[in-house]
């Protein structure tokens, strides 16, 4: 982006399977407080606030109305994006590039533990007339995609298990992650089948959390005297709602999003120019599928990489532990990964720091049954 | 004003004639409840069964425990000097944690009210309900919450209308300690003090 938009501050709460000690608003207040301190700012300086939320996940409709207090946004411009976290980040870029705002707070949160019947929420996402009555669960939709992906690439199921082993091991080094574990491919493949070929351990477990990013114009970012991380390019796309019409083997929404983001960032050889990736792994096969769509690795190369079971390699992927290791928190997931990438580029990722992480990519997906996702390229100052 | 109908040859391509003959009110086929029940109309029904259990958090949990004990609790922010209820963990004006818990009186003043003739799911009420915003004593600036007025002693709407007014002083009427569960409904309603 010509004028430049930067991530100036990051605040998160650790991802946890349950969070009974804090209400959702208290959780967001914690993340927001951390983000404002990290950016060296305060709510009064923020020109516009964006919240990512989906009413069915909240159990409250018009959730925007409940946003201002915990962000310090009373009587200020606030709006909600009922979409992927990266779509929210894109909205922040638009506010800044259009000159409406210099400093924007983007918030995402999830209290997955407060939803007692996820399957009913998922059912609401299917077409009510020709899909819902069939009664197929969300994991089965993912299984259909995994089957077609393995069919088209010729990869064995063990390649998918390798992703699980790597990400959950990486999570052991990330204090924000909830599901760090030392597993073997055999153990993953011995976990129960949910809907073949998808197994329990191929699936990222739910987690609660809140994340706030402070996004700034170039002028504001420089003035703050902090270490800005530049949003060099951003893209997002949706394929089609028709289940039978989508490209089950490929993440075409990522192909389109990556083209948009790479073009904006001036990246022509992603394999050479990108040093690390935080890639959606809601289901383990998605990581491999997304890496292919990002033109970063072929499925075979990705499999080779996961065999090492570590994030140190030519292209470290999900050094954070990903959703498999950190926990999955719906549309807030993408913002957590942007936070992770920001720390990597700043050199503040602690014991899971990727050496020489100057340019990174974050790739998101809105989950079953969507074909929506985004890509953002982040770069050091 | 009724549009004048003109007679003209029945030429299907005569757009002008077609336009002239469009009645002022569209002549649709009215649907009856029965048509829908008998499946004469193509409709798909779906009844959501969504279930949630929200973590009430630090501030609201303590508020609810207070209600169970028959107390209305509030919080104070030393930065702006406000005392507010329902309590919150942080002051949304000052964007900092609140400083102090206070027990408030269970009396207050009616900020605004309505005499409501339907239930929440729009069924007619014979004895109207009186929703009101009650400013709880001891809060500053005066804040409080939505609740109901009751114990008005009048069943007749005209009499209720004469008695209830903005600025009326009221007091909480509580459920018995055994019936209280730690919910906003532990207060049955607020009744006039005057
Ligand atoms: Zn205050």
């Amino acid at each position: 982006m010509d004028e430049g938009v930067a991530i100036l501050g990051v605040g998160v709460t650790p991802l946890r399977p349950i969070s009974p000690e804090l209400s959702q608003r208290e959780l967001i207040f914690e993340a927001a407080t951390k983000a404002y301190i990290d950016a060296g700012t305060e709510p009064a300086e923020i020109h516009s606030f964006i919240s990512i939320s989906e009413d069915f996940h909240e159990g409250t409709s018009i959730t925007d109305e409940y946003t201002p207090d915990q962000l310090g946004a009373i009587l200020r411009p606030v709006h909600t994006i009922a979409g992927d976290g990266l779509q929210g980040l894109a909205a922040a870029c638009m506010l800044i590039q259009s000159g409406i705002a210099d400093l924007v707070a983007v918030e995402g949160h999830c209290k997955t533990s407060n939803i007692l019947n996820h399957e009913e929420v998922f059912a609401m996402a299917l077409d009510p007339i020709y899909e819902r009555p069939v009664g197929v669960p969300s994991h089965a939709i993912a299984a259909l995609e995994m089957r077609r992906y393995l069919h088209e690439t010729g990869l064995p199921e063990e390649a998918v298990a390798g992703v699980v082993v790597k990400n959950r091991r990486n999570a052991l080094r990330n204090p924000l992650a909830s599901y760090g574990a030392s597993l073997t491919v055999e153990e993953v493949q011995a976990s129960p089948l949910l809907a073949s070929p998808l197994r329990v351990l191929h699936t990222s477990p739910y987690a609660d959390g809140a994340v706030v990013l402070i996004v700034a114009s170039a002028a504001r970012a420089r003035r703050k005297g902090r270490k800005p991380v530049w949003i060099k390019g951003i893209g997002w796309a949706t394929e089609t709602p028709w289940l039978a019409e989508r490209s089950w083997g490929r993440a075409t929404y990522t192909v389109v999003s990556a083209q948009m983001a790479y073009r904006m960032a001036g990246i022509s050889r992603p394999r050479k120019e990108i040093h690390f990736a935080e890639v959606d792994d809601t289901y383990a096969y998605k990581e491999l599928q997304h890496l292919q769509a990002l033109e970063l690795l072929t499925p075979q190369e990705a499999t080779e990489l996961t065999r090492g079971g570590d994030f140190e390699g030519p292209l470290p992927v999900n050094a954070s532990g990903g959703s498999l290791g950190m926990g999955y928190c719906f549309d807030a997931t993408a913002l957590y990964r942007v936070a992770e990438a920001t720390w990597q580029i700043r050199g503040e990722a602690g014991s899971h720091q990727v050496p020489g992480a100057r340019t990174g990519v974050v790739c998101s997906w809105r989950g079953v049954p969507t074909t929506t996702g985004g890509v953002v390229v982040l770069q050091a100052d | 004003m009724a549009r004048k109908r003109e007679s003209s040859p029945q030429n299907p391509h005569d757009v002008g004639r077609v336009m002239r003959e469009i009645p002022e009110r569209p002549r649709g086929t009215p649907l009856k409840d029965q048509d829908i029940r008998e499946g004469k109309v193509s409709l798909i029904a779906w009844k959501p069964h969504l279930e949630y259990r929200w973590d009430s958090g630090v501030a609201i949990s303590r508020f609810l425990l207070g209600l169970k004990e028959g107390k209305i609790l509030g919080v104070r922010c030393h930065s702006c000097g406000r005392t507010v209820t329902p309590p919150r963990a942080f002051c949304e004006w000052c964007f900092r944690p609140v400083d102090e818990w206070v027990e408030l009186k269970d009396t207050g003043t009616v900020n605004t009210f309505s005499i409501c003739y339907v239930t929440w799911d729009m069924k007619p009420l014979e004895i109207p309900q009186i929703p009101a915003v009650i400013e709880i004593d001891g809060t500053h600036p005066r804040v409080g919450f939505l609740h109901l007025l009751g114990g008005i002693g009048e069943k007749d709407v005209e009499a209720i209308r004469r008695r209830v007014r903005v600025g009326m002083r009221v007091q909480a009427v509580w459920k018995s300690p055994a019936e209280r569960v730690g919910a906003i409904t532990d207060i049955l309603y607020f009744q006039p003090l005057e």
Side-chain angles (χ1 to χ4, degrees), chain A residues 38-60:
Chain A
D38 191 46
T41 186
E42 52 186 42
E45 284 193 321
I46 306 289
H47 300 124
S48 200
F49 300 80
I50 297 167
S51 174
I52 314 292
S53 68
E54 171 62 56
D55 288 355
F56 279 116
H57 296 155
E58 311 279 326
T60 309

Side-chain angles (χ1 to χ4, degrees), chain A residues 23-48:
Chain A
S23 72
Q24 180 179 292
R25 292 173 209 175
E26 290 162 356
L27 208 61
I28 296 168
F29 176 73
E30 186 182 318
T33 304
K34 288 174 176 172
Y36 295 139
I37 290 171
D38 191 46
T41 186
E42 52 186 42
E45 284 193 321
I46 306 289
H47 300 124
S48 200

Side-chain angles (χ1 to χ4, degrees), chain A residues 361-378:
Chain A
V361 67
V362 175
C363 164
S364 67
W365 174 50
R366 266 204 101 192
V368 171
T370 80
T371 49
T372 294
V375 171
V376 62
V377 178
L378 299 166

Side-chain angles (χ1 to χ4, degrees), chain A residues 136-279:
Chain A
V136 174
S138 56
H139 294 321
I141 305 268
L144 297 171
E145 198 175 56
M146 178 176 171
R147 167 95 62 205
R148 186 72 203 183
Y149 172 74
L150 296 179
H151 173 79
E152 286 182 15
T153 56
L155 286 179
E157 288 175 30
E158 284 69 22
V160 173
V163 173
V164 180
V165 171
K166 169 181 70 79
N167 290 2
R168 295 197 63 169
R169 189 179 301 165
N170 286 353
L172 288 169
R173 302 204 212 181
N174 185 351
L176 298 176
S178 230
Y179 298 99
S182 197
L183 295 167
T184 64
V185 166
E186 293 69 35
E187 283 167 331
V188 172
Q189 287 308 93
S191 71
L193 276 168
L194 278 169
S196 81
L198 187 77
R199 294 175 184 277
V200 169
L201 288 180
H202 297 160
T203 305
S204 58
Y206 291 120
D208 295 354
V211 45
V212 174
L213 306 176
I214 309 300
V215 187
S217 66
R220 186 58 70 106
R222 301 254 181 245
R223 208 186 313 155
K224 282 285 173 195
R226 304 261 154 173
K227 243 190 256 181
V229 168
W230 297 99
I231 299 173
K232 298 301 285 183
I234 191 161
W236 64 100
T238 298
E239 193 186 350
T240 173
W242 296 100
L243 283 180
E245 209 172 281
R246 59 177 63 175
S247 46
W248 287 89
R250 293 181 71 210
T252 39
Y253 53 89
T254 305
V255 172
V256 176
S257 304
Q259 279 169 358
M260 185 174 163
Y262 290 165
R263 194 185 314 127
M264 214 180 287
I267 285 181
S268 52
R269 297 165 304 160
R271 295 167 66 110
K272 287 223 166 66
E273 294 173 64
I274 287 163
H275 307 133
F276 73 98
E278 284 289 331
V279 175

Side-chain angles (χ1 to χ4, degrees), chain B residues 115 128 130 154-164:
Chain B
I115 300 172
I130 314 168
E154 311 281 359
K155 299 255 187 285
D156 155 32
V157 173
E158 276 311 313
I160 293 173
R161 214 177 273 167
R162 276 195 301 274
R163 176 132 197 232
V164 180

Side-chain angles (χ1 to χ4, degrees), chain A residues 19-23 26 29 33 36 43 56 58-59 69-72 74 111 114 116-117 120 124 128-129 132, chain B residues 44-61 88-93 95-97:
Chain A
S19 52
E21 70 283 3
L22 293 177
S23 72
E26 290 162 356
F29 176 73
T33 304
Y36 295 139
F56 279 116
E58 311 279 326
D69 283 18
Q70 52 272 23
L71 292 175
I74 295 177
K111 275 270 195 181
N114 288 190
L116 299 191
N117 50 2
E120 292 280 349
M124 297 300 289
I129 295 169
R132 253 185 252 175
Chain B
I44 301 285
W46 184 269
K47 201 172 185 180
H49 300 278
L50 304 171
E51 286 178 49
Y52 305 88
R53 192 162 49 214
W54 296 283
D55 298 315
S56 43
V58 174
I60 295 298
S61 295
R88 46 218 82 174
F90 50 89
C91 174
E92 72 277 15
W93 285 15
F95 204 70
R96 59 189 286 280

